[in-house]
Amino acid sequence: MYNLTDINTIKRIMSRHGVTFSKALGQNFIIDADVCPMIVEKSGITEEDGVLEIGPGVGVLTQEIAKKAKKVVSLELDTRLIPVLGDTLEDFTNVEVINADVMKTDLDRLFKESFSDCRNIHVIANLPYYITSPIIMMLLESRLPLTAITVMVQKEAGERLCAEIGSRDAGAVSVAVNYYSEAEELFFVPRESFMPSPNVDSEVIKLTVREKPEFAPTDEKFFFSVVKAAFSQRRKTAANGLSSGLGMAKDKIFSALSNAGLETTVRAEKLTMEELFTLSEELYKMR
Ligand code: SAM
């Protein structure tokens, strides 16, 4: 089996296939031998589980997942890497590599076709950083039968995605993540752990998908427009963002805030999940 954390091995395989790193596709491969086993261990997968991997690169994380999981399906957008993966993963019979863009793949169908004999389905990935939040939101919003999403992301993105609601770091994306899952930051990964080394550090986060959200808004779409509007003007009050984002008069916003038991000057970052939910229900009545 290839040692894919060895820089010379990666270089040799890539040059044999005439492949160079693509910055545009976020190709920073893991070269720290401790990182992939730790991601797999912390993901909590068992021998009965199926795993969707996004962006296998040359297959360093894929190998570790395949040692533990029942089945791995890896989606790689870069066509040039498909023959490379054919080489590096040849020892595994439980891995399927598909040349596809995760954002354009019918995952519901793929899960039915590939994971019907698996107990739980997980996503594990070292995500391309240019598209981290869209991928995570797509996975959560599409309500796939997922147990958890364990992914490497840029450190700042991880802090934002996992921020406690009602804290300074929270934003609309943290609320969305919290709505669908319980988020935790698992461990820090310095930039030197990758080749080529990016100019930012990373961390691994785990989103354990909730069976159902803790709050049930009358209109989910409206709830998310409220959240987006409330957080849209970070230095101003929530009322400002809500008024312009929802196109509602300030006096209506003030009434909704006070009906929800909130100050009219409150900032979105101070609001808890429950307060955001109550506020959204009050605004819904007035829209
Ligand atoms: N898993 C490998 C590792 O940890 O060393 C590579 C991770 S690298 C950060 C991200 C990978 O995602 C690259 O191989 C890139 O080509 C692939 N990728 C980028 N955009 C993608 C997309 N939309 N769908 C599927 N794969 C994508």
Side-chain angles (χ1 to χ4, degrees), residues 125-190:
N126 171 17
L127 287 178
Y129 294 167
Y130 75 98
I131 192 178
T132 299
S133 292
I135 292 178
I136 290 178
M137 288 322 301
M138 178 275 290
L139 292 171
L140 292 172
E141 283 169 357
S142 53
R143 295 213 149 91
L144 294 158
L146 276 174
T147 296
I149 300 168
T150 305
V151 282
M152 173 101 70
V153 297
Q154 194 177 318
K155 188 166 183 300
E156 288 69 24
E159 285 166 356
R160 174 55 67 94
L161 289 162
C162 300
E164 199 184 319
I165 312 308
S167 78
R168 269 197 76 142
D169 289 339
V173 75
S174 343
V175 175
V177 165
N178 187 288
Y179 182 80
Y180 293 109
S181 69
E182 282 180 71
E184 55 182 316
E185 294 174 82
L186 293 180
F187 59 92
F188 172 78
V189 183

Side-chain angles (χ1 to χ4, degrees), residues 4 10 22 24-31 35-36 39 53-62 74-81 85 98-105 124-131 135 152 193-195:
L4 296 174
I10 302 174
S22 160
L25 291 180
Q27 290 178 355
N28 301 98
F29 299 158
I30 299 169
I31 49 163
V35 171
C36 295
I39 294 176
E53 187 198 13
I54 298 157
V58 292
V60 65
L61 178 56
T62 325
S74 298
L75 301 183
E76 175 53 63
L77 176 60
D78 190 346
T79 311
R80 304 169 312 152
L81 289 172
L85 289 159
I98 303 175
N99 185 196
D101 181 340
V102 66
M103 299 302 282
K104 296 183 185 153
T105 302
I124 300 180
N126 171 17
L127 287 178
Y129 294 167
Y130 75 98
I131 192 178
I135 292 178
M152 173 101 70
S193 303
F194 303 88
M195 182 173 82

Side-chain angles (χ1 to χ4, degrees), residues 31-43:
I31 49 163
D32 179 332
D34 294 330
V35 171
C36 295
M38 192 125 85
I39 294 176
V40 173
E41 190 206 314
K42 301 262 184 192
S43 73

Side-chain angles (χ1 to χ4, degrees), residues 19 22 26 40-41 72 75 113-114 165 171 176 197 223 225 230 234 238 250 252 254-255 257 279:
V19 185
S22 160
V40 173
E41 190 206 314
V72 189
L75 301 183
E113 284 170 3
S114 303
I165 312 308
S197 176
F223 171 73
S225 5
R234 289 189 69 77
K250 272 272 178 65
K252 280 194 175 180
F254 288 153
S255 307
L257 280 162
L279 175 59

